[in-house]
Amino acid sequence: AQSSVTIYGIIDAAVVATTNQTATGGSKFSMDAGQLLTSRWGIKGSEDLGGGLKANFNLEGTLANDTGTAGAGFGGNVFNQTGNNTSLFDRLSWVGLSGDFGSVTLGRNNILGVDSVGLADPISLAHAGSNPNVMFSALNSGAFFGGFGTNQGGSALRQNNSIKYVSPLMSGFGGALMYGFGEKAGDSTASNYAGLSGFFTDGTNGAALSYAKMKDNANAAFMTGFAGGAKFKVAPSVMLRGTYAQTKVDGNIKIDALPSANGRKIAVIGLGADFSLSDQTTLTAAYYNTKRSGDIDGKADQYIGLAKYAFSKRTTAYASLTYAKAGSVNAQDVSLALGIIGAGNSSAMRTAVGVLHAF
Amino acid sequence: AQSSVTIYGIIDAAVVATTNQTATGGSKFSMDAGQLLTSRWGIKGSEDLGGGLKANFNLEGTLANDTGTAGAGFGGNVFNQTGNNTSLFDRLSWVGLSGDFGSVTLGRNNILGVDSVGLADPISLAHAGSNPNVMFSALNSGAFFGGFGTNQGGSALRQNNSIKYVSPLMSGFGGALMYGFGEKAGDSTASNYAGLSGFFTDGTNGAALSYAKMKDNANAAFMTGFAGGAKFKVAPSVMLRGTYAQTKVDGNIKIDALPSANGRKIAVIGLGADFSLSDQTTLTAAYYNTKRSGDIDGKADQYIGLAKYAFSKRTTAYASLTYAKAGSVNAQDVSLALGIIGAGNSSAMRTAVGVLHAF
Amino acid sequence: AQSSVTIYGIIDAAVVATTNQTATGGSKFSMDAGQLLTSRWGIKGSEDLGGGLKANFNLEGTLANDTGTAGAGFGGNVFNQTGNNTSLFDRLSWVGLSGDFGSVTLGRNNILGVDSVGLADPISLAHAGSNPNVMFSALNSGAFFGGFGTNQGGSALRQNNSIKYVSPLMSGFGGALMYGFGEKAGDSTASNYAGLSGFFTDGTNGAALSYAKMKDNANAAFMTGFAGGAKFKVAPSVMLRGTYAQTKVDGNIKIDALPSANGRKIAVIGLGADFSLSDQTTLTAAYYNTKRSGDIDGKADQYIGLAKYAFSKRTTAYASLTYAKAGSVNAQDVSLALGIIGAGNSSAMRTAVGVLHAF
């Protein structure tokens, strides 16, 4: 049977300057990976089995190309699954079959919320490490939501031990289901993930909705998430994007220093517009509003301007300016700015200039 | 000189359900990698040096594609070599020359026992993590045999710092020698590995024998292993397979909570038959008997049925049913079932349904 | 745009015997990776953007092919950057643009000293782990110089978070600049790296000089390094090589058990000659003199003979003999022999026989 194997990736590096990183307002200068799109490398392939059936696989890992670190759990990225705390191919690691029926993939899959907010994220998933849609909307748990789901901690953007079904498009409409095994002996639902999504696209405009539920390992609490997004081309050179998403904890669970995380909810509103100045140049203006409620109230906003210049389809230079403003200098507000604002400050300005190359 | 470099691998994922995983008989549901063949990825190449001489290399690592983990020692797989406790290319990492004289490879090599039981393993090395031939017969030390050999612990299926010579086939007969350096200052044999093997094949039927000896780092004890296997096609659609292997500890060494491991011996008998129902469909029935003696007596049996459907040479769907039965609920019996039976039980049933794709 | 992606590497393995590894003069026998050239694997590519402009990337990691270990910080190689202590692509991890103006690369880059001593190293960077030019001349910090520069410890041969500019050659002359961000909030120069270099080549002969300065994280001390080298073909079959390099600590810093490292200086002189006996066979004779001063005096010499036989451009067999002689049995002398001499001895003889294959 005909088949292919491809090595591919994205390497993105930027010089970044951020104000208000110390209590006295000191700045930080750094070179950071993955500011326009998360840097990655991977291997993928497909085999034609005849009759429209295909076998497919994809292995993909995060690349911190400022230091050469790869995968999750080796360094800055946390991957806390019990007894298995690193993953080289932390972004994707699946094998599956596809055909007229759609596709089924088994392994470590993107959760469905990634599709719904990814489609319409106002800055197209740029600055992923501090992008509220990436860090909250897609049910990403991390420090705020603790050990829900099959990873039992760390990023929840992908789930271990999962089966994902994506339907074919029918008149532009499609849907997807995904289930991740918690793998706890004697309890078939502890630490599991279950999600569904629906989406529409006409090739230019589109919309998607997703819902998911993840349990903790004690099966005493669960996290639910809803995410939706839409994009619409209002003029030949103007694309509008909007997202809404929320993540909520229910049940008897202690995640951090607070007595209980029951009722903790974080909601993100994202709005943005792309202006195509030419085939090569795009300007983007975006706004994020992040609110926490239920246990402690908190809020933070981000205002972002982004300019991209495409040397080619695969190589882009970019510059961005981000103003982040928290509700106060208190941690429950500042933490919602996802590291942009240093402790003891309530706002910060970040400037990034970089280059992305996809291979 | 003409040369080639190839990226290759196997990605295998299965949904697995196993009974009797808790003391009260609770089941466990999981998605596991590598149930038909151990998932892996690698890079290999060859350069024609002229006159029949070739330079060859191979780098290959384990792939836990249910989580994206790669290599050994990052997570579930233990790789205890002192001061060097992980290996990305934990399966193979060698460079060498081949020609009319055979082949010589230097680096991390498969031990010779892998060939002799691999050839004739009743389930063709399926369910490697709980396959007695993989875990015991090939001298694999792990938890049962402690820190013998060049790895000083962990899997002994491959040895670090080793030279392997494999002869060419002469009328179907061949042989191999392998030596692994223990690398201890002032003691040239501590932690070393030495093995030899002989094999025969007529292209369809075959047999192999291997013997090896590994020392501990104190050079106070050693582990010896013998493994043999044969396969014979008794009818056009029926292949019989049989293996016998034993591993034994001699000398003054304490491995686990027992006062001494001197005399510890584990022997495995494996029998199986493949029935080819069609070009695409194969049924396999297999039986393993594992016995421990010398220090503490123990035993466990496995009865396995396996059905495979080949979509192509490289893509196969499969289902298996395993019944594991230990001699008692005591740990010395249950542990010989290699994790299939949960503590407090003496038997368990495992069902696996999966897909394998080789690229 | 036209583009390419290449998987490449070097796998080098040798059997090594070294005398005087224990206090009673015991020998050590081992199989070691990377004795002729450091073993490595990588991915690189280039995209033609038109008008002479190119986008380029390179990911490359160390390969300990005696055990299958890859990258730094997983095992024997130390990579201490705070909170990020491993790197799969520890040798190179950059993306950049090149054109008539030269090249700019962002990420983890070789420091400039690598070029100047690399060009003229008497044994062409063989035995890198015990080669004084690799371990000292290029500002490599390691155990002797502590946590200067962007890595905050470990090897300083490459710097994280760095921008490197290399000019085009003009009449054989060129230059380079490199800056690495220390990334400390509120202090833009702590833990930084800054270097410049100049070089000349006529295609056969060449010379290079480099200078660099690295700061510690407290910004209380700095390390400066100077390295120069030249090679000159004095006869059709004889190439002479010479290097001088020194690394020095200034300021208030405690690195090891000594009260202060202020003034610590290590200087290396390297001299060597290559004799080409045929297209395939080369003999090399080399001498290194390493001296420490400023805080504690120490010295060690290495005398090396190396024979190489090239099966092809990409596959080489080699043998080397090294005699290392320290000023005394004291640690400040013996340590300068970089592990060749065992504690309690003042000299050692090392024999290595191996094969290198580049793919």
Side-chain angles (χ1 to χ4, degrees):
Chain A
Q2 283 286 94
S3 65
S4 68
V5 177
T6 306
I7 304 272
Y8 70 96
I10 291 175
I11 308 193
D12 176 333
V15 176
V16 179
T18 315
T19 65
N20 290 350
Q21 294 304 294
T22 65
T24 55
S27 292
K28 181 179 170 185
F29 299 88
S30 58
M31 170 164 300
D32 292 336
Q35 295 302 300
L36 185 57
L37 283 174
T38 300
S39 295
R40 66 199 71 173
W41 77 289
I43 310 170
K44 61 184 173 185
S46 187
E47 182 192 16
D48 186 347
L49 301 172
L53 197 63
K54 284 185 179 181
N56 310 297
F57 77 93
N58 201 340
L59 300 169
E60 183 180 297
T62 304
L63 191 63
N65 48 285
D66 46 349
T67 63
T69 302
F74 301 129
N77 298 318
V78 180
F79 187 83
N80 283 324
Q81 194 194 31
T82 306
N84 199 346
N85 54 5
T86 61
S87 177
L88 181 61
F89 298 113
D90 63 313
R91 289 177 58 88
L92 294 173
S93 172
W94 54 254
V95 61
L97 298 169
S98 65
D100 295 341
F101 62 88
S103 75
V104 175
T105 55
L106 289 77
R108 184 162 165 87
N109 284 291
N110 273 331
I111 65 168
L112 301 174
V114 171
D115 305 325
S116 52
V117 300
L119 168 89
D121 180 59
I123 53 171
S124 299
L125 304 176
H127 293 299
S130 61
N131 181 322
N133 264 345
V134 176
M135 300 306 286
F136 295 122
S137 295
L139 269 176
N140 201 341
S141 57
F144 289 90
F145 292 107
F148 293 97
T150 67
N151 302 334
Q152 296 180 30
S155 168
L157 290 175
R158 290 100 196 169
Q159 291 288 302
N160 291 331
N161 316 312
S162 58
I163 307 184
K164 186 179 187 176
Y165 166 72
V166 181
S167 80
L169 282 178
M170 289 163 288
S171 307
F173 288 89
L177 295 169
M178 180 168 152
Y179 184 81
F181 292 90
E183 300 197 342
K184 184 174 183 178
D187 186 339
S188 66
T189 64
S191 289
N192 78 350
Y193 164 93
L196 75 162
S197 73
F199 44 85
F200 167 80
T201 177
D202 64 4
T204 301
N205 307 296
L209 294 174
S210 70
Y211 173 82
K213 186 172 176 177
M214 300 162 82
K215 293 193 176 164
D216 77 318
N217 197 247
N219 217 340
F222 57 90
M223 181 168 84
T224 46
F226 167 84
K231 61 176 184 176
F232 192 69
K233 191 170 252 188
V234 293
S237 63
V238 183
M239 174 73 86
L240 298 187
R241 300 168 193 268
T243 58
Y244 175 77
Q246 66 170 64
T247 307
K248 184 165 179 289
V249 172
D250 282 282
N252 176 25
I253 190 168
K254 185 171 159 42
I255 293 173
D256 43 29
L258 294 179
S260 167
N262 188 24
R264 180 175 303 183
K265 180 176 156 186
I266 296 181
V268 177
I269 296 168
L271 297 170
D274 282 352
F275 305 93
S276 300
L277 303 195
S278 73
D279 284 356
Q280 294 189 290
T281 309
T282 307
L283 297 184
T284 301
Y287 166 73
Y288 290 102
N289 173 273
T290 306
K291 277 196 178 150
R292 175 174 173 171
S293 59
D295 55 353
I296 283 190
D297 287 349
K299 69 168 181 166
D301 290 327
Q302 288 187 37
Y303 303 85
I304 303 179
L306 171 65
K308 293 186 276 192
Y309 177 82
F311 289 106
S312 72
K313 281 191 181 174
R314 304 197 293 107
T315 302
T316 297
Y318 62 93
S320 77
L321 197 66
T322 304
Y323 176 68
K325 173 85 184 118
S328 75
V329 299
N330 294 330
Q332 67 262 33
D333 291 310
V334 170
S335 63
L336 296 179
L338 293 161
I340 301 179
I341 305 172
N345 297 276
S346 65
S347 70
M349 180 71 80
R350 176 182 63 193
T351 310
V353 178
V355 61
L356 174 151
H357 176 67
F359 62 93
Chain B
Q2 282 286 96
S3 66
S4 67
V5 176
T6 306
I7 303 272
Y8 70 96
I10 291 175
I11 308 193
D12 175 333
V15 176
V16 179
T18 315
T19 65
N20 290 350
Q21 295 304 293
T22 65
T24 56
S27 292
K28 181 179 170 184
F29 300 89
S30 59
M31 171 163 300
D32 292 336
Q35 296 302 300
L36 186 57
L37 283 174
T38 300
S39 296
R40 67 199 70 171
W41 77 290
I43 309 170
K44 62 183 172 185
S46 187
E47 182 193 16
D48 187 347
L49 300 173
L53 196 63
K54 283 185 179 179
N56 310 296
F57 78 94
N58 201 339
L59 301 170
E60 183 180 294
T62 304
L63 192 61
N65 48 284
D66 47 349
T67 63
T69 301
F74 301 129
N77 299 317
V78 179
F79 186 83
N80 282 324
Q81 194 194 30
T82 306
N84 199 345
N85 55 4
T86 61
S87 177
L88 181 62
F89 298 113
D90 63 312
R91 288 177 58 89
L92 295 173
S93 172
W94 56 253
V95 61
L97 298 170
S98 65
D100 294 340
F101 62 89
S103 74
V104 175
T105 53
L106 288 78
R108 185 162 165 87
N109 284 291
N110 273 332
I111 66 168
L112 300 174
V114 171
D115 304 326
S116 53
V117 301
L119 168 90
D121 179 59
I123 53 172
S124 300
L125 305 177
H127 293 300
S130 60
N131 181 321
N133 264 345
V134 176
M135 299 307 285
F136 295 122
S137 295
L139 270 176
N140 202 342
S141 58
F144 288 91
F145 292 108
F148 292 99
T150 67
N151 302 335
Q152 296 181 28
S155 168
L157 291 174
R158 290 100 196 170
Q159 291 288 303
N160 291 331
N161 317 313
S162 58
I163 306 185
K164 187 180 188 175
Y165 166 73
V166 181
S167 80
L169 282 178
M170 290 163 288
S171 307
F173 288 89
L177 295 168
M178 180 167 150
Y179 184 79
F181 292 91
E183 300 197 341
K184 184 176 182 177
D187 186 339
S188 65
T189 63
S191 289
N192 77 350
Y193 165 94
L196 75 162
S197 74
F199 44 86
F200 168 79
T201 177
D202 65 3
T204 303
N205 307 297
L209 295 173
S210 70
Y211 173 81
K213 186 171 176 177
M214 299 161 83
K215 294 193 175 163
D216 78 318
N217 197 247
N219 218 339
F222 57 89
M223 181 167 86
T224 46
F226 167 83
K231 61 176 185 177
F232 193 68
K233 191 169 252 189
V234 293
S237 63
V238 183
M239 174 73 85
L240 298 187
R241 300 169 193 268
T243 58
Y244 175 76
Q246 65 170 63
T247 306
K248 185 166 179 288
V249 173
D250 282 282
N252 175 25
I253 191 168
K254 185 170 159 43
I255 293 173
D256 43 30
L258 294 179
S260 167
N262 188 25
R264 179 175 303 182
K265 179 177 159 186
I266 297 182
V268 177
I269 296 167
L271 298 169
D274 282 352
F275 305 92
S276 299
L277 303 194
S278 74
D279 284 355
Q280 294 190 291
T281 309
T282 306
L283 297 184
T284 301
Y287 166 73
Y288 290 102
N289 172 273
T290 306
K291 275 196 179 152
R292 174 174 174 172
S293 59
D295 56 352
I296 284 189
D297 287 349
K299 69 167 180 166
D301 291 327
Q302 289 187 38
Y303 304 84
I304 303 178
L306 170 66
K308 292 185 277 191
Y309 177 82
F311 289 107
S312 72
K313 283 191 179 173
R314 304 197 293 106
T315 303
T316 297
Y318 62 93
S320 76
L321 198 65
T322 304
Y323 176 69
K325 175 82 184 118
S328 75
V329 298
N330 295 329
Q332 66 262 33
D333 292 309
V334 170
S335 63
L336 297 178
L338 292 161
I340 302 179
I341 305 172
N345 297 275
S346 65
S347 70
M349 181 69 81
R350 176 184 62 194
T351 310
V353 178
V355 62
L356 174 151
H357 175 67
F359 62 93
Chain C
Q2 283 287 93
S3 65
S4 67
V5 177
T6 305
I7 304 272
Y8 70 94
I10 290 175
I11 308 193
D12 175 333
V15 176
V16 179
T18 314
T19 65
N20 290 350
Q21 295 303 294
T22 66
T24 56
S27 292
K28 181 178 171 183
F29 299 88
S30 58
M31 171 164 298
D32 292 335
Q35 296 302 301
L36 186 57
L37 283 175
T38 300
S39 296
R40 67 199 71 173
W41 76 290
I43 309 170
K44 62 184 173 185
S46 188
E47 182 192 17
D48 187 346
L49 300 173
L53 197 62
K54 284 185 179 181
N56 310 296
F57 78 94
N58 201 340
L59 300 169
E60 183 181 295
T62 304
L63 191 62
N65 49 283
D66 48 348
T67 63
T69 301
F74 299 131
N77 298 318
V78 179
F79 186 84
N80 282 323
Q81 195 195 28
T82 307
N84 199 345
N85 55 5
T86 61
S87 176
L88 181 61
F89 299 113
D90 63 312
R91 288 178 57 89
L92 296 173
S93 173
W94 54 254
V95 61
L97 298 170
S98 65
D100 295 339
F101 62 88
S103 75
V104 175
T105 54
L106 288 78
R108 185 162 165 86
N109 285 291
N110 273 331
I111 66 167
L112 300 174
V114 171
D115 305 324
S116 52
V117 299
L119 167 92
D121 180 58
I123 53 171
S124 300
L125 304 177
H127 293 298
S130 60
N131 181 322
N133 264 344
V134 176
M135 299 307 284
F136 295 122
S137 294
L139 270 176
N140 201 342
S141 58
F144 289 90
F145 293 107
F148 292 98
T150 67
N151 303 335
Q152 296 181 29
S155 168
L157 291 175
R158 290 99 197 170
Q159 291 289 303
N160 291 330
N161 317 314
S162 58
I163 307 185
K164 187 179 187 175
Y165 166 72
V166 181
S167 80
L169 281 179
M170 290 163 287
S171 307
F173 288 88
L177 295 169
M178 180 167 152
Y179 184 80
F181 291 91
E183 300 196 344
K184 184 173 183 179
D187 186 339
S188 64
T189 65
S191 290
N192 77 350
Y193 164 93
L196 76 162
S197 73
F199 44 85
F200 167 78
T201 177
D202 64 5
T204 302
N205 308 296
L209 294 173
S210 70
Y211 173 82
K213 186 170 175 178
M214 300 163 83
K215 293 192 176 165
D216 78 318
N217 197 247
N219 217 339
F222 57 91
M223 182 167 85
T224 46
F226 167 84
K231 62 176 184 176
F232 191 69
K233 190 170 251 189
V234 293
S237 62
V238 183
M239 173 73 86
L240 298 186
R241 299 169 193 268
T243 57
Y244 174 77
Q246 65 170 64
T247 307
K248 184 165 179 290
V249 172
D250 283 281
N252 176 24
I253 191 168
K254 185 171 160 44
I255 293 172
D256 42 30
L258 294 179
S260 166
N262 187 25
R264 180 175 303 182
K265 179 177 158 186
I266 296 181
V268 178
I269 296 168
L271 297 170
D274 282 353
F275 306 92
S276 299
L277 304 193
S278 74
D279 283 356
Q280 294 189 293
T281 309
T282 307
L283 296 184
T284 302
Y287 166 72
Y288 290 103
N289 172 272
T290 307
K291 276 196 177 150
R292 174 174 173 172
S293 58
D295 55 352
I296 283 189
D297 287 349
K299 69 168 182 166
D301 290 327
Q302 289 188 37
Y303 303 84
I304 303 178
L306 171 65
K308 294 185 276 193
Y309 177 82
F311 289 106
S312 72
K313 282 190 181 175
R314 303 197 293 107
T315 303
T316 297
Y318 62 92
S320 75
L321 197 66
T322 304
Y323 177 67
K325 174 83 182 117
S328 75
V329 298
N330 294 330
Q332 67 262 33
D333 291 311
V334 169
S335 63
L336 297 179
L338 293 162
I340 301 179
I341 305 172
N345 297 274
S346 65
S347 70
M349 181 70 82
R350 176 183 63 193
T351 311
V353 178
V355 62
L356 173 151
H357 176 66
F359 61 93

